[in-house]
């Protein structure tokens, strides 16, 4: 058999995406031009929010979302143990303390009961992560946030297109952050966004994206000196996206329905043909209508994980592991976090293997993965 090389994730770019980028390159604005607003509107329309702020990547989105929420020293923020490090790092960027909650053993989403147990008088915010494109129960999180006065930042980096009880993730309170890295559901190369329904948060995010500067006269502290005048009100950054990236994002967004359809086909096929193999797959909770980003499996026998991982790699399948629990990272250990904090997450980590899932996979590639998995694990 011919050995194919199939990564765990990949972007899908066609000639219309390329033409959209070239059009911008021939025009007058390479950054801060009209494509940014157009992309932001497309994001709002998709996720159901009033406002969107496009930024340079998902990590920048998390950083300024945490700042806009007013997270600072003395504050604690609850984050799930199984996620990409950036979900927790944004809390450290603000001088605050991430508090890790365990995950549910079937869905791998943050365990709401454990999150509740970890609330203290210092808890300022909570960051539910829609792991693998399956969404958290945002109605329950809203209830919790109301009871305890918490700010919610949804880490929606995996979940563009997913719905919570048929509602877009942007319909909820607080903020949502998105990533357009090539591994994610749509791509702008690097890119990200924050969405919200709160006008004040929106204004703050716009400033933080560009050095903390505003030209909105209604926000001025001092008297307007004249036409050249602007004010820097916060210590912001340059987290802007380019118009080339925004044009790519607009073009990609139009393909989201077809990307979602192909992802769902592959997931349904995997679920069917893998039935009976010695691993568990991520369970979809009843409130979730996902656009699946990752297809994660967990070996019943954790002693086989390394051997199975290596054997699939040897067959050209770019398996991966999502994720090493954040609190087990050497940096987090150095600042005082200890193994044993989140036992479900730590056990899941030892069993996890992510299989390839992306819309550009042909039927032949899917069958290649299926037969390799059957050979190695069957
Ligand atoms: C990818 C990702 C991010 C960060 O996005 P970048 O665009 O890569 O900076 C944040 N959170 C999660 C869960 C992610 O998977």
């Amino acid at each position: 058999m011919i050995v194919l090389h199939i990564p765990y994730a990949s972007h899908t770019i066609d000639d219309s995406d390329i033409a959209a980028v070239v059009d911008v390159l021939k025009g007058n604005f390479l950054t801060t031009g009209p494509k940014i607003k157009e992309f932001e509107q497309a994001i709002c329309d998709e996720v159901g929010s009033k406002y969107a702020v496009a930024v340079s990547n998902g990590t920048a989105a998390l950083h300024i979302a945490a700042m806009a929420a007013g997270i600072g020293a003395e504050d604690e923020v609850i984050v799930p143990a199984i996620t990409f490090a950036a979900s927790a790092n944004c809390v450290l960027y603000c001088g605050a303390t991430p508090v890790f909650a365990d995950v549910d053993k079937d869905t791998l989403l943050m365990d709401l009961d454990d999150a509740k147990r970890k609330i203290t008088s210092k808890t300022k915010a909570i960051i539910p992560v829609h792991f693998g494109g399956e969404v958290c129960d945002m109605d329950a999180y809203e209830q919790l946030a109301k009871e305890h006065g918490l700010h919610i930042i949804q880490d929606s980096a995996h979940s563009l297109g997913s719905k919570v009880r048929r509602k877009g993730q942007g319909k909820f309170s607080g903020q949502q952050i998105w990533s357009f890295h090539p591994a994610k559901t749509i791509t702008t190369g690097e890119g990200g966004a924050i969405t919200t329904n709160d006008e004040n948060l929106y204004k703050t995010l716009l400033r933080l994206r560009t050095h903390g500067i505003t030209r909105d006269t209604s926000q001025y502290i001092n008297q307007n000196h004249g036409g050249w005048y602007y004010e820097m009100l916060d210590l912001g950054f340059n987290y802007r996206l380019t118009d080339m990236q925004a044009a790519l994002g607009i073009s990609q967004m139009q393909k989201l329905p077809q990307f979602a359809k192909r992802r769902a086909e592959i997931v349904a096929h995997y679920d069917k043909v893998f039935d009976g193999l010695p691993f568990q797959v991520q369970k979809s909770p009843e409130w979730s209508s996902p656009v699946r980003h990752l297809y994660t499996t967990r070996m019943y026998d954790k002693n086989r994980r390394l051997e199975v991982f290596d054997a699939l790699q040897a067959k050209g399948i770019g398996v991966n592991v999502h994720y090493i629990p954040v609190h087990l990272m050497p940096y987090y250990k150095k600042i005082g976090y200890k193994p044993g904090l989140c036992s479900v997450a730590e056990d899941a980590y030892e069993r996890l293997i992510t299989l390839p899932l992306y819309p550009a996979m042909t039927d032949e590639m899917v069958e290649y993965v299926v037969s390799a998995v059957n050979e190695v694990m069957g």
Side-chain angles (χ1 to χ4, degrees):
M1 193 186 209
I2 312 156
V3 175
L4 301 177
H5 289 279
I6 304 174
Y8 86 90
S10 180
H11 57 269
T12 306
I13 298 280
D14 68 14
D15 287 344
S16 68
D17 295 312
I18 294 165
V21 174
V22 171
D23 265 358
V24 172
L25 287 168
K26 289 177 177 167
N28 292 326
F29 292 95
L30 300 188
T31 189
T32 323
K35 289 292 170 194
I36 301 296
K37 275 227 161 337
E38 200 182 321
F39 184 37
E40 289 172 340
Q41 189 56 53
I43 295 167
C44 288
D45 293 345
E46 171 53 42
V47 312
S49 68
K50 267 197 194 150
Y51 307 105
V53 177
V55 293
S56 45
N57 56 66
T59 305
L62 279 163
H63 185 188
I64 63 173
M67 283 179 74
I71 293 167
E74 310 296 316
D75 292 331
E76 294 177 356
V77 179
I78 298 173
V79 186
I82 289 203
T83 184
F84 185 54
S87 312
N89 291 351
C90 68
V91 178
L92 294 178
Y93 295 162
C94 294
T97 304
V99 173
F100 292 101
D102 213 336
V103 296
D104 178 87
K105 65 178 180 30
D106 296 315
T107 63
L108 292 180
L109 298 170
M110 180 151 62
D111 176 345
L112 189 63
D113 291 324
D114 197 46
K116 279 181 193 164
R117 282 192 287 273
K118 293 195 164 145
I119 293 174
T120 71
S121 59
K122 293 180 172 177
T123 310
K124 172 91 177 180
I126 190 160
I127 306 184
V129 177
H130 303 308
F131 178 82
E134 296 291 352
V135 287
C136 302
D137 182 352
M138 292 318 301
D139 295 298
Y141 278 91
E142 293 257 281
Q143 186 61 35
L144 185 71
K146 226 180 251 163
E147 278 166 29
H148 297 272
L150 307 181
H151 186 93
I152 302 175
I153 300 173
Q154 296 178 52
D155 184 334
S156 302
H158 292 186
S159 57
L160 186 67
S162 302
K163 300 280 191 302
V164 189
R165 295 190 179 85
R166 306 231 155 84
K167 269 161 72 180
Q169 294 152 69
K171 293 282 186 202
F172 295 91
S173 71
Q175 304 172 82
Q176 303 81 42
I177 75 91
W178 309 87
S179 168
F180 310 119
H181 180 275
K184 306 290 162 62
T185 308
I186 69 162
T187 191
T188 59
E190 296 282 356
I194 310 101
T195 50
T196 184
N197 295 308
D198 181 319
E199 190 182 1
N200 283 325
L201 283 172
Y202 173 62
K203 286 182 177 167
T204 303
L205 292 165
L206 286 178
R207 289 197 307 272
L208 290 173
R209 172 173 70 180
T210 185
H211 311 281
I213 285 172
T214 186
R215 286 177 184 278
D216 170 4
T217 53
S218 73
Q219 295 183 40
Y220 286 176
I221 303 294
N222 299 319
Q223 209 169 352
N224 190 350
H225 299 182
W228 67 88
Y229 191 68
Y230 58 82
E231 285 189 349
M232 183 191 134
L233 301 180
D234 324 89
L235 185 58
F237 305 89
N238 178 354
Y239 280 167
R240 294 187 299 265
L241 194 73
T242 68
D243 276 51
M244 291 82 84
Q245 291 171 304
L248 180 54
I250 295 160
S251 179
Q252 287 267 296
M253 194 69 93
Q254 290 164 358
K255 293 164 190 152
L256 178 59
Q258 83 200 46
F259 290 169
K261 183 163 165 277
R262 182 62 182 154
R263 283 178 178 275
E265 275 169 15
I266 297 168
V267 168
H269 185 67
Y270 278 169
D271 282 348
K272 196 174 88 196
V273 297
F274 293 151
D275 194 34
L277 290 187
F279 56 77
Q280 179 186 0
V281 296
Q282 189 183 3
K283 204 170 143 191
S284 187
E286 69 270 15
W287 58 78
S288 172
S289 310
V291 173
R292 281 285 291 275
H293 163 57
L294 298 174
Y295 194 86
T296 56
T297 67
R298 270 168 288 156
M299 301 291 302
Y300 292 137
D301 179 0
K302 62 183 169 192
N303 296 315
R304 287 191 65 198
R305 195 264 298 264
L306 178 61
E307 154 223 324
V308 165
F309 183 94
D310 288 346
L312 289 171
Q313 283 271 350
K315 288 180 179 295
I317 296 169
V319 283
N320 206 325
V321 169
H322 296 92
Y323 289 96
I324 304 164
V326 181
H327 65 287
L328 301 184
M329 288 291 169
Y331 181 80
Y332 278 85
K333 283 192 175 162
K334 195 173 77 185
I335 62 174
Y337 292 85
K338 297 215 160 48
L341 269 179
C342 296
S343 55
V344 179
E346 289 169 34
D347 177 73
Y349 163 59
E350 293 183 30
R351 302 167 188 277
L352 277 164
I353 297 178
T354 303
L355 298 178
L357 173 64
Y358 51 95
M361 286 180 86
T362 61
D363 289 347
E364 187 200 9
M365 291 159 89
V366 173
E367 281 320 315
Y368 185 83
V369 173
V370 168
S371 67
V373 168
N374 269 306
E375 239 174 83
V376 171
M377 304 213 223

